[in-house]
Amino acid sequence: VRTSENLVVAETMRQTALHNQQFRAKATNSQYDPKVIEFKQWCRDMYPDDSPETQYTVTEAKLVSFLRMCVIGRKSKTSCNEIGDSSIKAYKNAIVDLYKRQRSQNVNSHPHPGEGSTIKNLMTSLKKDKADHMKQNFLDRGRQTFRMKSFTTDQLHNITKTCWTKSGAVHNSLRDDMSEF
């Protein structure tokens, strides 16, 4: 009798998790689902001899390995640049979400993969590497921000002209004002 009660509870938990996933934001599902599919394909390739129950089990080691082998350093679909921190974080979040579903279904007893020191150090080092790269290449974090896009070239010329002709003297903070554009 004890086993059948456990099966009923496990099935109830599984159905609840599926129900919750169906009714969360469509944008979340559309962002997470392809990443989870990619992770599962990687697991099939890396762990072909594991049983289906353990092959897709999310662990910190699998998460870090997947990110380092398949995600970090990947080229963006829209440009020739590497994908940014936000894309890598989206992959991490999608895999952690899979872990949470596995936990709620009692099929994963491993520690939370997003809270381990290895993944935290990896994410921190990515931020530091990006900052160092930008500093070494003199890249401006503010370049092409909303300020640049909000003015046309003619408008910028008019602002400059107005500042230079204002009461016959150069506006004191013209340099500072224009450096923001």
Side-chain angles (χ1 to χ4, degrees), residues 19-151:
H19 179 66
N20 290 342
Q21 184 180 357
Q22 288 174 339
F23 290 103
R24 71 178 172 194
K26 286 182 182 180
T28 303
N29 284 335
S30 67
Q31 184 171 105
Y32 283 7
D33 291 347
K35 292 168 177 58
V36 169
I37 290 168
E38 187 178 344
F39 174 76
K40 287 183 174 183
Q41 179 60 50
W42 177 82
C43 288
R44 279 192 295 277
D45 294 342
M46 291 298 295
Y47 306 98
D49 299 330
D50 283 8
S51 67
E53 294 84 29
T54 60
Q55 190 175 50
Y56 305 122
T57 301
V58 178
T59 64
E60 182 183 11
K62 282 184 182 179
L63 174 59
V64 169
S65 298
F66 172 70
L67 291 175
R68 293 199 43 104
M69 294 170 74
C70 299
V71 180
I72 297 171
R74 178 187 289 177
K75 298 293 182 193
S76 171
K77 293 176 185 174
T78 58
S79 71
C80 62
N81 299 330
E82 289 184 7
I83 61 172
D85 296 343
S86 60
S87 296
I88 295 168
K89 194 172 184 180
Y91 271 94
K92 176 188 159 246
N93 291 342
I95 307 310
V96 167
D97 183 67
L98 175 62
Y99 165 80
K100 289 177 182 178
R101 280 188 277 146
Q102 291 174 351
R103 254 329 250 238
S104 72
Q105 297 168 6
N106 292 323
V107 295
N108 190 337
S109 59
H110 293 278
H112 193 289
E115 295 175 357
S117 62
T118 306
I119 190 70
K120 286 182 179 179
N121 290 337
L122 175 65
M123 299 307 284
T124 301
S125 71
L126 288 173
K127 287 180 187 175
K128 288 180 181 177
D129 288 347
K130 183 177 180 178
D132 287 345
H133 173 75
M134 291 179 75
K135 190 182 270 187
Q136 288 172 356
N137 294 308
F138 304 103
L139 297 175
D140 183 6
R141 292 180 297 139
R143 187 171 181 205
Q144 298 300 325
T145 61
F146 75 95
R147 291 180 186 172
M148 287 298 288
K149 295 175 184 173
S150 61
F151 293 104

Side-chain angles (χ1 to χ4, degrees), residues 146-163:
F146 75 95
R147 291 180 186 172
M148 287 298 288
K149 295 175 184 173
S150 61
F151 293 104
T152 65
T153 305
D154 290 338
Q155 289 172 324
L156 287 172
H157 287 295
N158 288 338
I159 291 170
T160 306
K161 184 179 176 183
T162 302
C163 290

